[in-house]
Amino acid sequence: MLPTLVLAQPLRVGVYHNPPKLFIDDQGQPSGILWELLEAIASQEAWRLDPVDCRWQACLEALVDERLDLLPDVAWSQARSAQLAFHREPALHSWSQIYQRPGTALDAIPDLDGKRVAVLQGSIQQTYLENLGEGFGITLDLLAVDTYAAGFEATLAGQVEAVVANRHFGDWQARQLGLSATPIMFQPARLFYAAPAGRKASVLAAIDEHLIAWKPTQNTPYHEILERWSVRNDDQFRIPEWLWWSLGGLTAMLALALVGNMLLRRRVAERTTRLAASEQRLAAILDSVEAFIFIKTPDLRYTYVNRKVCELLNRSATSILGHRDEEFFDADTAARLRANDLRVIEGGEKVTDEETNLLPRGGKPHVFLSVKLPLYDARGEVVSLCGISTDITEYREIQESNRLLANFNPVTGLPNRQRFMDKLTQAILNTRHRHPFIALLLIDLDHFKLVNDLHSHEAGDRLLRHVAQRLGLIVDDTDTLAHLGDDEFALLIDNLAPPLESAAHRIEQLGERLLAAVQRNGGEEDTPTITASLGLTLFSRHDVEPGGAMQQADIALAQAKAAGGNTLRFFNDQMQVRVMERVRLERDLQRALQRDEFRLCYQLKVDTDERPVGVEALIRWQHPERGLIPPVEFIPLAEQSQLILAIGQWVVETACEVLSRWADDEAREQLSMAVNVSAVQFHDPGFVSQIKAVLAESGAPAERLMLEVTESVLMEEPESVRNTLAALRELGIRLALDDFGTGYSSLNYLKRLPLDELKIDRSFILGIPHDASDTAIVETTLTLATHLGLDVVAEGVENDAQFQWLKARGCRVFQGYRFGKPVELESLALAATSA
């Protein structure tokens, strides 16, 4: 427990709009990652916080004038350190990135020439871009805005081509507005809580103490807050190799050396009189960037170094110029540098390489991304080497940390659930092993929660590490031992030799040894004694999917738990039969289309005079052995396996063929055809084009086709859904919302969707006219539909009382057994004639 710092007055904390790090939410309350982190610290310190809503520039000015005590989300810079006070440990890391609106192609710094770019007023990004424009000799039209949000709005409205923002806000906002991130990245920044210069030193010291205590450990407020804001992986970004060119301002560095050099050479004739001033300006810029820039002669002596090189070697420029690397680095490092340099000088190559060098003053090796290119004279001969190096050690460490966090449990260091499932999938699909059997064991510690409650979470973590070590001593190196999370471990044993009984016996013996190892764990370093339960499943390769194998082991584990713990259980044979039955059903489903086993039945929809106005097409599966299988049994399986795409395509094609025939039949040419659309089918990128192709090929009238979707479909990716519905509407297709009232649609969103019809779910029709709740729901739906201009279909109408009650309240279309059951097309003709 850190000592608390008592403050007499509340801390006046500036809050400006920069989500997800800092902002005022819709309820007028401060929110965001950095606010919650400050609240966590304040709770520990018993501080009172007084949030002050202000724009960025106003917040910064208020902090300098001491009208604020603290301002989160401030990037450190040399200029700001003269006006403000900072703590030592960064709260977050970030960088600046340029985001562009659709139709804009910004891939490198020169592409910004003549472009209008929005930038936050008074930010270090504004200063950086102003200097960059001067150094490049390009025109940058900067629009200063008060907030990042205003910059994104200006970009979306077409007032500017691009906007500069920190990557936290930019990635969060760009996805919502349809903007795209460009490869132009610069200014890696460390973010702090800042105070007025010379003020609140004790507050900043307390913030440092908590950050230093919390950041290295997973189960702390710091990491809980990152996870809550879906930036648990704040530093767990995956960076493609090509993006390392941009990291830490590398784009600016490369452009300054490469493009800037080319521009200067092309314009040397027309800018002769301004050459001296340009060189001074370029030198100032090269000294301001966070890269090591240097020039060497053909004999590899330095003729130019910028400020960063001087800081790296801890020498003045005059003491470096004229000397070689052998005088500054150890022999191995100097030899590696020389080898790359000679490729440039002797071969005229442009060399890009990651160089791992031991710094002159010792310490751990640092990794530099170096770009070295030849400089030519008028005769085309190499006269110098120009180098740009960026220290990417911290990024490589973050990348390695990300890899570990993404694939390994932070407490035990064992593979986590994701990595274990990858291993399980590989084992099942691997056909090269000679032996067919695979064993999966799930190990769950009994009553582990009591260890945390009675001892401490530290004792619990210590126990988990000891269990992992004990289990690791028993399993072979070829086996995969994983820590799935909390107190659950898993073991995968591949390539077990037959017979099955012998393999099962060996696995059972291993399971007993694992349970004994867990129980022996107690008593070490004050670690409490504990037992475990173990579930085992043994299966043949390709007989079960990874999820099914985990389910089998989990069921066996539950049986071991139910038996009192400290025991093991094999997966139950009866449950095994049911799982395999599902596997066989999925295999049969894959062949059902080829064997023409699907049928469409049609159920009438009638008006108030019971005249047919349309039908709903309903799929049925006539299994050759199991008979008629209802959709409720095979549709979910088809959706999980993606077979629904092919099945749904068949349904639409078959329905449109019927519609096409009806178009030439005077008795049925006005009938509509309703087809249910699965969520998987609806969200398929090619869905709209497939429907368009079917209509064109069949010749079916699009205005007679009604596609029915459920509320759950509409609530997934709302903007994408609206675009898809609009595209279908443009084809002339009518759209219906099926099972209305059973989901969770937002009425505000519903009114903006291009829908034609609502179908009241049969579960509400069943209770009318006697059930007060059902009658109220149906009456409300009818009123709502009238105001929204939507038709209503009451499905599940089974008796005359329901029919008459619905007619009296304005319902105009009905469907249900009262008017006819779903029948095949031949029988439907008889039903339509009799009606």
Side-chain angles (χ1 to χ4, degrees):
M1 179 71 70
L2 297 172
T4 59
L5 169 65
V6 178
L7 298 178
Q9 299 294 329
L11 286 174
R12 297 167 297 176
V13 183
V15 181
Y16 71 94
H17 191 73
N18 191 8
K21 296 182 292 181
L22 189 67
F23 62 99
I24 298 294
D25 63 22
D26 295 339
Q27 287 72 42
Q29 298 300 314
S31 187
I33 300 169
L34 293 175
W35 179 262
E36 290 190 7
L37 181 57
L38 183 60
E39 280 188 321
I41 296 174
S43 174
Q44 296 282 330
E45 297 288 341
W47 295 342
R48 291 174 295 161
L49 303 180
D50 181 13
V52 179
D53 186 9
C54 49
R55 293 184 181 270
W56 160 249
Q57 189 62 30
C59 281
L60 199 59
E61 292 173 358
L63 187 67
V64 173
D65 295 340
E66 300 185 10
R67 289 180 281 116
L68 290 177
D69 299 314
L70 209 61
L71 181 61
D73 196 24
V74 180
W76 184 94
S77 70
Q78 191 69 40
R80 286 179 182 167
S81 66
Q83 292 182 299
L84 304 174
F86 294 80
H87 49 89
R88 299 187 310 277
E89 180 67 19
L92 287 175
H93 289 82
S94 186
W95 59 78
S96 301
Q97 188 157 10
I98 294 181
Y99 298 83
Q100 62 188 355
R101 58 187 170 89
T104 307
L106 301 178
D107 298 315
I109 295 296
D111 295 336
L112 296 174
D113 191 16
K115 298 297 190 297
R116 189 165 172 80
V117 180
V119 64
L120 189 64
Q121 174 71 39
S123 66
I124 59 177
Q125 298 156 339
Q126 182 179 20
T127 303
Y128 181 89
L129 288 179
E130 290 172 348
N131 292 335
L132 191 66
E134 292 180 7
F136 271 106
I138 63 176
T139 302
L140 269 175
D141 188 3
L142 299 181
L143 172 65
V145 294
D146 292 335
T147 65
Y148 284 136
F152 275 74
E153 291 171 2
T155 308
L156 195 63
Q159 300 173 10
V160 296
E161 282 84 358
V163 58
V164 181
N166 69 73
R167 68 105 173 178
H168 289 95
F169 181 88
D171 290 351
W172 172 81
Q173 190 76 347
R175 285 192 294 269
Q176 299 184 32
L177 298 181
L179 302 183
S180 62
T182 72
I184 305 175
M185 304 166 67
F186 53 91
Q187 284 186 317
R190 298 173 297 164
L191 304 181
F192 299 84
Y193 298 89
R199 303 297 300 275
K200 302 301 178 185
S202 57
V203 171
L204 296 177
I207 291 174
D208 254 331
E209 291 177 355
H210 286 284
L211 289 175
I212 292 171
W214 289 348
K215 288 177 71 175
T217 307
Q218 284 297 311
N219 297 322
T220 61
Y222 182 89
H223 293 283
E224 291 170 358
I225 290 168
L226 291 183
E227 182 176 3
R228 185 159 54 250
W229 281 95
S230 299
V231 285
R232 174 182 180 181
N233 299 330
D234 174 56
D235 289 325
Q236 295 183 6
F237 46 86
R238 297 182 179 177
I239 303 175
E241 291 296 329
W242 65 271
L243 275 183
W244 286 107
W245 290 78
S246 300
L247 293 176
L250 185 55
T251 299
M253 303 164 198
L254 293 175
L256 287 171
L258 302 176
V259 182
N261 183 58
M262 287 189 292
L263 287 174
L264 288 173
R265 289 173 62 185
R266 290 174 184 173
R267 299 175 182 176
V268 66
E270 63 185 89
R271 299 178 63 186
T272 303
T273 59
R274 301 166 57 189
L275 182 58
S278 297
E279 288 179 348
Q280 292 177 358
R281 189 161 52 246
L282 180 59
I285 293 173
L286 294 180
D287 277 340
S288 67
V289 298
E290 293 297 313
F292 307 92
I293 303 175
F294 52 88
I295 297 176
K296 295 180 180 179
T297 62
D299 63 350
L300 305 184
R301 296 180 184 274
Y302 288 99
T303 60
Y304 169 80
V305 291
N306 73 342
R307 174 185 57 84
K308 288 291 291 182
V309 176
C310 295
E311 293 176 356
L312 176 69
L313 301 180
N314 197 26
R315 291 170 178 258
S316 65
T318 55
S319 65
I320 299 174
L321 300 181
H323 298 275
R324 296 189 180 95
D325 288 322
E326 289 83 352
E327 301 177 51
F328 307 123
F329 297 95
D330 66 279
D332 291 339
T333 299
R336 287 194 299 269
L337 295 174
R338 178 181 177 82
N340 279 341
D341 290 349
L342 290 178
R343 290 171 59 189
V344 178
I345 295 295
E346 297 177 355
E349 293 184 52
K350 172 186 171 184
V351 177
T352 301
D353 193 18
E354 282 192 11
E355 298 176 336
T356 302
N357 302 330
L358 189 64
L359 298 186
R361 52 184 174 274
K364 66 179 181 180
H366 278 230
V367 181
F368 296 87
L369 179 60
S370 294
V371 180
K372 298 178 179 180
L373 65 157
L375 302 180
Y376 298 92
D377 61 12
R379 296 172 298 177
E381 296 181 359
V382 177
V383 294
S384 299
L385 172 153
C386 179
I388 311 101
S389 295
T390 307
D391 190 343
I392 60 172
T393 306
E394 183 177 355
Y395 290 111
R396 281 294 186 232
E397 291 173 348
I398 290 173
Q399 187 183 43
E400 177 61 17
S401 176
N402 294 342
R403 188 189 70 81
L404 293 175
L405 288 174
N407 294 283
F408 297 89
N409 187 281
V411 175
T412 60
L414 292 176
N416 60 12
R417 181 179 294 273
Q418 179 61 51
R419 187 169 179 83
F420 183 78
M421 292 302 296
D422 291 343
K423 290 283 189 179
L424 178 58
T425 302
Q426 294 172 14
I428 291 175
L429 298 179
N430 195 335
T431 59
R432 292 178 297 175
H433 283 315
R434 295 184 299 107
H435 302 316
F437 295 120
I438 299 173
L440 175 60
L441 298 80
L442 291 184
I443 308 161
D444 189 88
L445 304 184
D446 298 327
H447 312 298
F448 178 74
K449 186 176 183 298
L450 291 177
V451 177
N452 288 331
D453 293 343
L454 298 179
H455 297 270
S456 66
H457 285 280
E458 289 76 11
D461 289 348
R462 188 164 58 248
L463 174 60
L464 291 173
R465 285 191 289 270
H466 283 301
V467 168
Q469 292 170 3
R470 288 283 188 176
L471 297 179
L473 294 174
I474 296 176
V475 303
D476 293 336
D477 293 339
T478 56
D479 302 333
T480 301
L481 177 64
H483 184 184
L484 304 186
D486 295 331
D487 59 342
E488 188 175 22
F489 295 83
L491 177 62
L492 174 65
I493 303 175
D494 193 7
N495 202 27
L496 287 166
L500 177 64
E501 294 77 9
S502 176
H505 181 65
R506 293 198 302 274
I507 296 302
E508 184 177 20
Q509 287 182 320
L510 175 61
E512 295 289 357
R513 292 174 59 200
L514 295 172
L515 292 179
V518 172
Q519 194 167 14
R520 284 199 307 272
N521 185 73
E524 297 182 7
E525 299 182 12
D526 299 325
T527 304
T529 300
I530 199 167
T531 60
S533 300
L534 196 152
L536 308 100
T537 183
L538 187 64
F539 53 91
S540 297
R541 207 178 307 275
H542 304 303
D543 279 352
V544 65
E545 60 178 354
M550 290 293 291
Q551 185 181 38
Q552 291 179 9
D554 201 51
I555 291 172
L557 177 63
Q559 293 176 337
K561 287 283 188 183
N566 195 24
T567 188
L568 63 83
R569 288 289 186 273
F570 268 96
F571 178 64
N572 183 275
D573 291 340
Q574 294 180 351
M575 296 178 185
Q576 177 79 39
V577 170
R578 289 199 293 270
V579 171
M580 295 310 299
E581 180 67 21
R582 180 186 180 279
V583 173
R584 285 192 291 271
L585 184 63
E586 182 175 346
R587 289 176 179 172
D588 290 345
L589 188 60
Q590 291 174 337
R591 296 190 289 262
L593 271 178
Q594 302 172 0
R595 297 177 177 180
D596 196 24
E597 294 172 1
F598 289 116
R599 302 287 183 269
L600 279 189
C601 291
Y602 304 86
Q603 187 173 29
L604 281 173
K605 296 161 68 174
V606 302
D607 61 13
T608 54
D609 295 324
E610 300 188 47
R611 292 176 301 194
V613 295
V615 298
E616 179 179 1
L618 301 168
I619 190 171
R620 300 290 186 265
W621 181 12
Q622 187 66 45
H623 193 280
E625 299 174 359
R626 301 177 55 179
L628 193 64
I629 300 178
V632 69
E633 290 189 20
F634 69 85
I635 291 297
L637 183 60
E639 289 180 328
Q640 294 170 13
S641 61
Q642 299 292 306
L643 291 172
I644 193 65
L645 297 176
I647 295 173
Q649 178 81 356
W650 176 85
V651 170
V652 173
E653 290 174 350
T654 305
C656 285
E657 289 174 4
V658 174
L659 269 181
S660 180
R661 293 199 300 270
W662 283 359
D664 299 326
D665 185 345
E666 292 184 2
R668 295 170 178 78
E669 63 180 355
Q670 297 301 317
L671 295 178
S672 65
M673 176 77 70
V675 175
N676 291 284
V677 177
S678 161
V680 176
Q681 186 182 5
F682 184 86
H683 290 297
D684 181 64
F687 176 62
V688 175
S689 60
Q690 290 171 359
I691 295 295
K692 183 177 180 180
V694 170
L695 289 172
E697 184 175 349
S698 66
E703 67 275 9
R704 298 300 172 197
L705 178 62
M706 174 79 75
L707 297 183
E708 297 184 358
V709 295
T710 61
E711 291 180 82
S712 60
V713 172
L714 301 185
M715 296 307 292
E716 297 175 2
E717 303 179 4
E719 290 305 317
S720 174
V721 167
R722 186 166 62 177
N723 293 337
T724 301
L725 292 176
L728 293 170
R729 171 65 72 81
E730 288 181 3
L731 297 178
I733 297 169
R734 303 184 73 231
L735 304 167
L737 180 57
D738 197 11
D739 300 336
F740 182 74
T742 61
Y744 45 87
S745 288
S746 164
L747 297 182
N748 181 54
Y749 182 68
L750 184 63
K751 71 180 182 181
R752 298 187 287 116
L753 294 175
L755 296 172
D756 300 287
E757 180 178 282
L758 294 182
K759 297 190 71 174
I760 304 176
D761 187 68
R762 66 182 70 249
S763 62
F764 301 117
I765 303 299
L766 183 65
I768 63 172
H770 306 295
D771 187 284
S773 297
D774 287 345
T775 56
I777 291 172
V778 174
E779 286 181 328
T780 301
T781 302
L782 290 169
T783 302
L784 172 67
T786 299
H787 287 296
L788 293 178
L790 300 175
D791 297 332
V792 177
V793 176
E795 59 179 354
V797 179
E798 297 185 356
N799 56 59
D800 193 61
Q802 294 170 341
F803 177 47
Q804 298 301 331
W805 187 92
L806 289 164
K807 277 203 306 182
R809 283 155 182 80
C811 188
R812 294 292 175 262
V813 183
F814 312 86
Q815 182 180 349
Y817 286 2
R818 164 72 172 74
F819 315 104
K821 296 181 179 180
V823 295
E824 294 194 10
L825 191 61
E826 296 77 9
S827 301
L828 177 69
L830 297 175
T833 301
S834 63

